[in-house]
C-alpha cells in the first residue's frame, strides 16, 4: 500500500504511472491530500489542546498546594472545556484517519517506469523467448479430452461432488500432481528457499495485508461460521507474505526467501471465466509459491534471479 508521504511527494508520478494500468487516479489522489490536510490540522488542534490541558493541570496542582483554592477552581472550569474539546477533536481525527485508510486501500501500487501502457495482450512487450513453440498435428487433442481418454482427471466427478472448477485427479493424474508438488518444493529448497507450511485460512487483517481486501473479496471464499470471519487463501503468497506483516526487518537479515505449497481457492466470479473448459479458471487448484522479501534497491535483481 502506498504511504501518504510518498503520495504527497510524488503526486504526478503516481497519477501518471497508474494511467498505465488504465486508472484515472486524479480525484482519489486529490481526496487523499485533502483528507490528510484535515487530519494534520485536527492532530495539531488535539496536540495543542492536550498540551494546554496538561499545563493547566500542573498549575492547578500548584495552586491547591499554595492555598489558592478559588483560582484553582476557576482553572478547573477551563480544563473541563478542554476535555470536551479533546473528545471532539479525537472523534473527528479518528474519522479522518479511517476515511484516509479506506482511500489508501483503493490505490494500487504503481507499475515500474519500464512497463508499457496498454489494455490488451498485444500491448505487452516480449522480453525474451525460450525454446520452440511446437506445431500440433491435426489430430491433436485438447488437454481435457486427453485427461478423459486416459482417465487421469475427472471434471464431471468433481462437479458431482462440489461443482464446476473442482476437478478430481485419478490414478496417474493424482500421482503426477503429487510428484510435481514435491519436485518444485525440492527445487526451491535446493535454491535456498526455506519451506514453510502455512494455514489455508487467513483472517481479515491478512487479506488487507496483501491487497485482496477490500476490493477483491468477491474472488475469495468467505468462511463466517460462528463469526470466524476467515477467508480461504487464493494463493500461498497471502499467508507467506503475512508472516512478516507488522514486523521491522533488519537489512542484515534480508533476504527472506520462502517457498510453500498450498491448495488455492478462488471463486473466479464473473462471466469471463464461468464457462472455460479444462484446467482453466479453477476454483480449487494446487500451487507451489516462492516469495522473497528484499531491500528495495535489490528488488529487480531478485526478480531476475527468481
Amino acid at each position: 500500500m502506498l504511504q501518504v508521504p510518498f503520495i504527497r511527494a510524488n503526486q504526478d508520478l503516481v497519477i501518471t504511472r497508474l494511467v498505465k494500468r488504465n486508472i484515472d487516479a486524479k480525484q482519489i489522489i486529490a481526496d487523499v491530500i485533502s483528507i490528510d490536510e484535515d487530519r494534520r490540522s485536527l492532530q495539531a488542534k488535539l496536540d495543542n489542546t492536550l498540551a494546554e490541558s496538561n499545563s493547566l493541570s500542573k498549575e492547578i496542582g500548584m495552586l491547591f498546594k499554595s492555598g489558592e483554592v478559588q483560582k484553582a477552581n476557576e482553572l478547573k472550569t477551563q480544563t473541563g472545556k478542554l476535555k470536551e474539546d479533546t473528545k471532539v477533536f479525537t472523534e473527528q481525527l479518528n474519522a479522518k484517519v479511517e476515511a484516509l485508510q479506506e482511500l489508501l486501500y483503493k490505490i494500487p501500487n504503481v507499475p515500474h517506469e519500464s512497463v508499457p501502457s496498454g489494455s490488451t495482450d498485444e500491448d505487452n512487450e516480449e522480453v525474451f523467448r525460450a525454446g520452440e513453440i511446437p506445431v500440433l498435428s491435426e489430430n491433436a487433442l485438447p488437454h481435457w479430452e486427453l485427461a478423459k481418454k486416459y482417465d487421469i482427471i475427472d471434471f464431471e466427478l468433481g462437479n458431482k461432488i462440489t461443482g464446476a472448477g473442482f476437478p478430481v485427479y485419478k490414478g496417474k493424474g493424482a500421482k503426477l500432481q503429487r510428484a510435481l508438488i514435491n519436485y518444485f518444493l525440492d527445487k526451491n529448497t535446493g535454491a535456498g528457499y526455506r519451506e514453510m507450511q502455512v494455514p489455508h485460512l487467513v483472517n481479515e487483517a491478512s487479506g488487507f495485508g496483501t491487497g485482496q481486501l477490500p476490493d477483491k473479496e468477491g474472488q475469495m471464499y468467505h468462511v463466517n461460521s460462528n463469526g470466524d470471519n476467515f477467508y480461504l487463501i487464493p494463493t500461498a503468497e497471502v499467508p507467506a507474505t503475512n508472516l512478516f506483516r507488522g514486523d521491522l526487518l533488519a537489512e542484515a537479515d534480508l533476504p527472506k526467501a520462502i517457498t510453500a505449497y498450498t491448495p488455492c481457492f478462488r471463486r473466479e466470479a464473473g462471466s469471463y471465466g464461468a464457462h472455460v473448459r479444462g484446467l482453466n479458471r479453477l476454483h480449487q487448484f494446487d500451487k507451489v509459491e516462492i516469495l522473497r522479501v528484499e531491500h528495495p534497491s535489490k528488488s529487480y535483481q531478485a526478480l531476475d534471479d527468481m
Side-chain angles (χ1 to χ4, degrees), residues 7-8 12 60 99 173 191 214 254 258 304:
I7 294 175
R8 292 182 67 94
D12 291 340
I60 290 170
L254 299 178
I258 300 297
D304 289 338

Side-chain angles (χ1 to χ4, degrees), residues 48 51 90 159 205 239 249:
N48 291 335
T90 300
N159 190 54
L249 302 178

Side-chain angles (χ1 to χ4, degrees), residues 35-278:
I35 293 177
D36 188 50
E37 291 290 348
D38 293 342
R39 180 196 63 80
R40 289 182 171 205
S41 175
L42 285 167
Q43 185 68 65
K45 290 179 180 178
L46 178 60
D47 291 343
N48 291 335
T49 301
L50 288 172
E52 185 178 354
S53 181
N54 289 336
S55 177
L56 284 178
S57 294
K58 292 179 181 178
E59 187 177 351
I60 290 170
M62 293 174 64
L63 289 172
F64 274 123
K65 286 182 180 180
S66 63
E68 299 180 68
V69 177
Q70 182 177 350
K71 190 173 181 179
N73 287 329
E74 290 175 358
L75 292 182
K76 285 184 68 175
T77 303
Q78 294 183 38
T79 59
K81 175 62 169 57
L82 290 173
K83 287 181 180 179
E84 287 296 320
D85 290 343
T86 297
K87 181 180 178 182
V88 171
F89 289 147
T90 300
E91 291 174 350
Q92 292 176 344
L93 178 61
N94 289 339
K96 290 295 180 182
V97 169
E98 184 177 344
L100 183 60
Q101 195 73 7
E102 288 298 316
L103 281 181
L104 293 174
Y105 283 138
K106 296 177 181 178
I107 302 175
N109 283 327
V110 297
H112 189 259
E113 60 183 3
S114 64
V115 175
S117 299
S119 56
T120 66
D121 290 345
E122 287 70 29
D123 298 316
N124 290 329
E125 176 186 346
E126 184 176 293
V127 179
F128 68 88
R129 181 179 298 206
E132 296 294 331
I133 298 177
V135 178
L136 301 178
S137 68
E138 294 182 0
N139 298 323
L141 298 177
H143 74 272
W144 55 86
E145 291 189 21
L146 287 170
K148 185 174 183 179
K149 178 180 178 180
Y150 294 105
D151 195 27
I152 57 176
I153 306 175
D154 197 321
F155 297 100
E156 289 75 17
L157 191 56
N159 190 54
K160 170 188 174 182
I161 297 170
T162 307
F166 295 89
V168 172
Y169 297 85
K170 304 164 69 176
K172 290 183 178 180
K175 189 174 183 179
L176 175 61
Q177 188 83 339
R178 175 166 50 86
L180 286 172
I181 292 168
N182 287 331
Y183 169 79
F184 285 113
L185 284 173
D186 291 342
K187 189 80 171 177
N188 296 341
T189 54
Y193 289 81
R194 186 184 187 191
E195 183 178 351
M196 305 286 277
Q197 190 174 80
V198 293
H200 301 165
L201 290 162
V202 294
N203 57 28
E204 192 173 68
S206 293
F208 277 99
T210 48
Q212 272 67 39
L213 299 176
D215 62 341
K216 296 182 180 65
E217 63 268 28
Q219 299 293 332
M220 302 173 72
Y221 286 100
H222 189 198
V223 180
N224 200 26
S225 175
N226 297 320
D228 289 331
N229 198 27
F230 292 148
Y231 292 86
L232 274 71
I233 61 170
T235 170
E237 174 191 346
V238 175
T241 302
N242 277 283
L243 292 171
F244 309 103
R245 172 167 50 87
D247 295 340
L248 291 175
L249 302 178
E251 186 174 351
D253 294 332
L254 299 178
K256 296 289 188 180
I258 300 297
T259 186
Y261 154 70
T262 63
C264 304
F265 305 90
R266 301 184 186 182
R267 293 189 62 242
E268 294 292 358
S271 59
Y272 64 87
H275 304 294
V276 294
R277 301 185 66 181

